[in-house]
């Protein structure tokens, strides 16, 4: 028998179910298409489950020109951007959360404005700066762009997370003989693991998936492009190889999925703690 409480929760459960299905169905369709033979992909009557399975699309994706090179470029650029953002944001967030200095509120206001600014609107300024400084067609330039994209969010989250750690813990370490930097490194820094994991995941996904700067702006040479640009290589004058494109997209999504599964516990607690106190 249905209880009144269950009836009240029914709209919420329905909305949650619709949201989950709406978000996951495109991913499901991508993965199943990657395993579906071409004759079934081009059929006028698509099926939710393929009648037969094939790995030919994955083989064509892996054997495509530039797969290994673009994969290496994406990994190097992503890891470098995330590491640089964490290093700079850790110092900035500590200064904002622990120190009292003139202009601190204005600094955080500028960080929030930078976080809200759409990066597409900065394409032309970034291009002009890169052109005038001779930094076009270079992976370090792309790394700096991704670093700037992820830095504001990283500062905001780490600042909130540091604010939740009692300052008395560091003061006690200083009384015992630690310097201020030593107290932070030995006492507060180990407690920041969830926040560091959460911001690392955000920075990783942002840099890993970015397409516009890598394809249209900063990088023109084929050997310096990244995996999102590689996905466009399955489109030619004869049309799109949808099976290989879906297989390539599945391969492209696997690293981000693996990182999320490894960090999921820390990510949840990190975002929650970072939003509690500011």
């Amino acid at each position: 028998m249905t209880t009144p409480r269950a009836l009240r929760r029914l709209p919420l459960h329905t909305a949650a179910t619709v949201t989950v299905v709406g978000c996951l169905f495109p991913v499901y369709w991508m993965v199943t298409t990657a395993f579906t033979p071409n004759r079934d992909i081009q059929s006028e009557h698509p099926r939710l489950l393929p009648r037969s399975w094939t790995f030919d699309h994955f083989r064509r994706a892996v054997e495509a020109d530039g797969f290994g090179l673009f994969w290496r470029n994406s990994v190097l650029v992503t890891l470098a951007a995330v590491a640089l953002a964490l290093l700079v944001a850790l110092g900035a967030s500590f200064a904002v959360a622990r120190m009292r200095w003139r202009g601190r509120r204005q600094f955080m206001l500028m960080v929030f404005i930078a976080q809200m600014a759409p990066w597409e609107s900065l394409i032309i300024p970034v291009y002009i700066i890169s052109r005038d400084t001779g930094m076009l067609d270079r992976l370090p330039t792309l790394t700096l762009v991704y670093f700037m994209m992820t830095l504001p969010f990283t500062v905001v989250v780490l600042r909130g997370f540091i604010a939740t750690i009692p300052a008395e813990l560091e003061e006690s370490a200083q009384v015992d003989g630690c310097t201020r930097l030593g107290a932070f490194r030995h006492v507060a820094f180990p407690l920041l693991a969830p926040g560091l994991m959460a911001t690392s995941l955000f920075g990783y996904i942002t840099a890993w998936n970015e397409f516009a700067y890598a394809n249209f702006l900063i990088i023109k040479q084929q050997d310096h492009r990244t995996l999102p640009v590689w996905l466009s290589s399955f489109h030619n004058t004869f049309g799109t190889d949808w099976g290989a494109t879906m297989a390539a997209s599945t391969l492209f999504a696997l690293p981000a999925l693996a990182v999320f599964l490894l960090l999921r516990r820390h990510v949840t607690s990190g975002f929650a703690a970072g939003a509690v106190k500011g």
Side-chain angles (χ1 to χ4, degrees), residues 8-110:
R8 289 196 301 268
R9 290 180 174 271
L10 183 60
L12 295 177
H13 293 164
T14 303
T17 302
V18 171
T19 301
V20 170
V21 172
C23 292
L24 292 183
F25 182 76
V27 179
Y28 168 79
W29 195 260
M30 175 188 73
V31 175
T32 55
T33 303
F35 290 98
T36 303
N38 280 328
R39 65 178 183 275
D40 294 333
I41 294 176
Q42 300 171 0
S43 173
E44 296 180 356
H45 305 285
R47 299 167 58 93
L48 290 178
L49 285 175
R51 289 176 293 185
S52 59
W53 302 79
T54 181
F55 288 93
D56 292 341
H57 303 313
F58 288 94
R59 186 181 67 252
R60 289 203 305 277
V62 173
E63 294 175 354
D65 293 338
F67 172 74
L69 179 62
F70 290 2
W71 188 281
R72 186 203 65 183
N73 291 344
S74 286
V75 170
L76 291 177
V77 169
T78 299
L79 293 182
V82 170
L84 188 59
L86 285 178
L87 181 63
V88 175
L90 192 60
S93 57
F94 176 79
V96 172
R98 284 287 189 263
M99 301 179 181
R100 298 295 180 265
W101 42 278
R102 195 171 188 179
R104 182 170 63 95
R105 293 182 180 274
Q106 291 78 3
F107 171 79
M108 284 306 302
L109 178 61
M110 293 299 103

